[in-house]
Amino acid sequence: MNTIKKQFLLTLVLFLIYFVVSTTVYYLYGDPGTGLGDAIYMTGISFTTVGYSDSGFASSNQQKIIFTPLVIWGFLIQIVFVASAVNAFVALKIHIVLEELLMKFLTKFKKAHIVIFGIGKIAPHVITELTSVKASFVVVDNHPAKIETLHEQYSKINALRMPGKTPSEKILKDVNITNASVAIFDLGSDELNHIAGDLVRRENQEIKTISVNDQLDFLSIMDGEGKTAINPHVLCAMKIASMAFRPSVATFLDKMLYIQDGIYRIEQVTIQKDSKILGKTLKEIFVASRLEILVIGIEDREVFDIIPRGRQTVVEGMTIFLQGELTQIEAFRQLAEGETSLDDFLPPPAQRS
């Protein structure tokens, strides 16, 4: 930054010296009747090399000898100026500022679009999914480097910077939140996601919110190790993208995943009102049932949490997304629908290929 300021200062000093000297020379050595205005005018067209086909100046050999160095001097100053301007443009990332201004302008015309707040571990995969289906969305984050990376990775993407850790009223206005249909929060912590969600819902009470839980190690709720057949980050991103862009379609839930030691499936199970596990935490349920299932997310009141904690309490209407062997998932479904209780529950034997 200091180097850029010194370059501009040097360019300005050289130009001022050139302007004074050139105007003085044109005034003193110009044709008879040359006034100060004429001298300033000639300095300007000489510096910019415009010319305008003016005659009456440099008509004598003496004037040509005197005026030619001025033209060369002005041309050299232009080179210094252009070099300084390019350095400033790159170093100050003015192109990013211009891109953001364009993005803000284009976003004002969006309708029923998706807004992603934060670029954590899941959001990049969500962006990939939304881009592949050509969904209309906007991304905001407070890390300039992440925004710049998005601009480099995608040729056409609406990505804006926000000054703080949570969206301000100005940012919400910039992303046209009142006309948005879905807000996805991946700000790095449950607290920030919660605060941002409240701010968004104040502006748009009809918006659907999807929050990414900050517990992103993707470990099983059980004490033992969980089994993962596919990349959980990508899996969760696919689910979020499906919920945000096309809620009625979640084809990945029907994909059979074959691995060496068994057949794994991804299913969603809804807790019914007659279930005997209502009011219990996830940890209590899975420790007591000894089911070898990986919980990959929970949807409750249109809020989707990635990998909920063991202390999460099960309530009626909650949908739990599970990954594991089909027999194990079906056993959990019986618990969820009230067909069995934990008191008389026996886990089924693991299915083998």
Side-chain angles (χ1 to χ4, degrees):
M1 185 66 70
N2 291 332
T3 303
I4 294 175
K5 289 181 179 179
K6 290 179 180 179
Q7 289 178 345
F8 268 116
L9 182 61
L10 175 61
T11 305
L12 179 60
V13 171
L14 290 175
F15 174 76
L16 290 176
I17 294 175
Y18 168 81
F19 183 84
V20 173
V21 173
S22 178
T23 301
T24 302
V25 171
Y26 279 126
Y27 180 74
L28 295 177
Y29 294 94
D31 291 336
T34 299
L36 181 60
D38 296 324
I40 294 175
Y41 171 72
M42 286 305 299
T43 295
I45 65 174
S46 297
F47 178 77
T48 58
T49 68
V50 173
Y52 289 129
S53 300
D54 282 276
S55 59
F57 284 85
S59 57
S60 67
N61 290 332
Q62 181 187 23
Q63 289 175 327
K64 292 177 181 178
I65 294 174
I66 295 175
F67 296 162
T68 298
L70 292 178
V71 176
I72 297 174
W73 185 10
F75 181 72
L76 292 176
I77 292 176
Q78 286 187 60
I79 295 176
V80 175
F81 173 78
V82 170
S84 300
V86 171
N87 287 339
F89 190 87
V90 174
L92 298 177
K93 300 179 180 178
I94 296 176
H95 62 291
I96 295 180
V97 176
L98 296 177
E99 286 177 347
E100 285 195 351
L101 291 175
L102 177 60
M103 292 303 101
K104 291 177 182 179
F105 175 76
L106 295 176
T107 303
K108 291 183 181 298
F109 300 97
K110 287 185 177 293
K111 302 288 184 181
H113 56 291
I114 302 166
V115 183
I116 302 175
F117 294 95
I119 308 174
K121 294 183 179 180
I122 299 296
H125 300 287
V126 176
I127 292 170
T128 299
E129 293 297 323
L130 293 177
T131 302
S132 66
V133 296
K134 294 180 172 54
S136 177
F137 67 96
V138 183
V139 184
V140 291
D141 192 271
N142 63 338
H143 292 86
K146 292 183 179 180
I147 296 296
E148 186 175 0
T149 299
L150 287 181
H151 283 299
E152 294 173 354
Q153 186 175 358
Y154 301 96
S155 58
K156 295 180 180 179
I157 187 171
N158 282 37
L160 307 175
R161 285 182 294 176
M162 60 181 181
K165 294 183 178 180
T166 55
S168 61
E169 291 185 6
K170 182 179 183 304
I171 286 295
L172 294 180
K173 183 178 180 180
D174 290 339
V175 300
N176 197 13
I177 198 66
T178 55
N179 289 318
S181 60
V182 180
I184 300 172
F185 304 98
D186 189 10
L187 293 169
S189 74
D190 293 336
E191 182 181 4
L192 292 177
N193 288 343
H194 179 73
I195 294 173
D198 284 345
L199 294 174
V200 167
R201 282 185 287 270
R202 289 177 190 174
E203 300 295 327
N204 185 347
Q205 296 181 357
E206 303 299 323
I207 196 169
K208 181 175 183 178
T209 58
I210 303 175
S211 178
V212 176
N213 195 291
D214 70 340
Q215 185 176 331
L216 296 174
D217 294 332
F218 293 94
L219 298 178
S220 172
I221 294 297
M222 301 178 298
D223 294 333
E225 294 183 357
K227 296 180 180 179
T228 304
I230 62 176
N231 185 331
H233 290 93
V234 177
L235 170 67
C236 295
M238 292 171 70
K239 175 57 186 174
I240 290 175
S242 175
M243 293 176 63
F245 179 66
R246 196 176 298 165
S248 62
V249 179
T251 56
F252 76 96
L253 290 174
D254 297 323
K255 186 184 298 181
M256 294 298 294
L257 304 170
Y258 294 93
I259 61 175
Q260 186 176 2
D261 62 347
I263 301 176
Y264 281 72
R265 188 177 177 92
I266 302 163
E267 291 279 345
Q268 57 188 50
V269 178
T270 302
I271 307 299
Q272 304 298 326
K273 63 179 181 179
D274 298 327
S275 176
K276 306 299 189 299
I277 59 175
L278 289 174
K280 295 185 180 297
T281 66
L282 290 176
K283 185 173 183 179
E284 289 173 343
I285 296 169
F286 283 98
V287 169
S289 66
R290 301 189 301 279
L291 288 171
E292 298 180 6
I293 301 175
L294 182 67
V295 179
I296 62 174
I298 282 185
E299 183 178 9
D300 183 28
R301 301 180 185 88
E302 295 189 345
V303 175
F304 187 73
D305 285 332
I306 305 298
I307 305 301
R309 292 175 174 79
R311 63 173 178 266
Q312 176 74 50
T313 302
V314 172
V315 298
E316 180 186 348
M318 174 185 288
T319 299
I320 301 179
F321 298 85
L322 304 167
Q323 180 183 353
E325 293 179 347
L326 188 56
T327 55
Q328 298 273 312
I329 294 176
E330 289 303 320
F332 181 83
R333 192 187 302 277
Q334 293 179 4
L335 288 172
E337 295 178 355
E339 296 180 12
T340 59
S341 64
L342 288 173
D343 296 334
D344 55 3
F345 183 83
L346 290 175
Q351 180 181 356
R352 299 298 173 185
S353 58

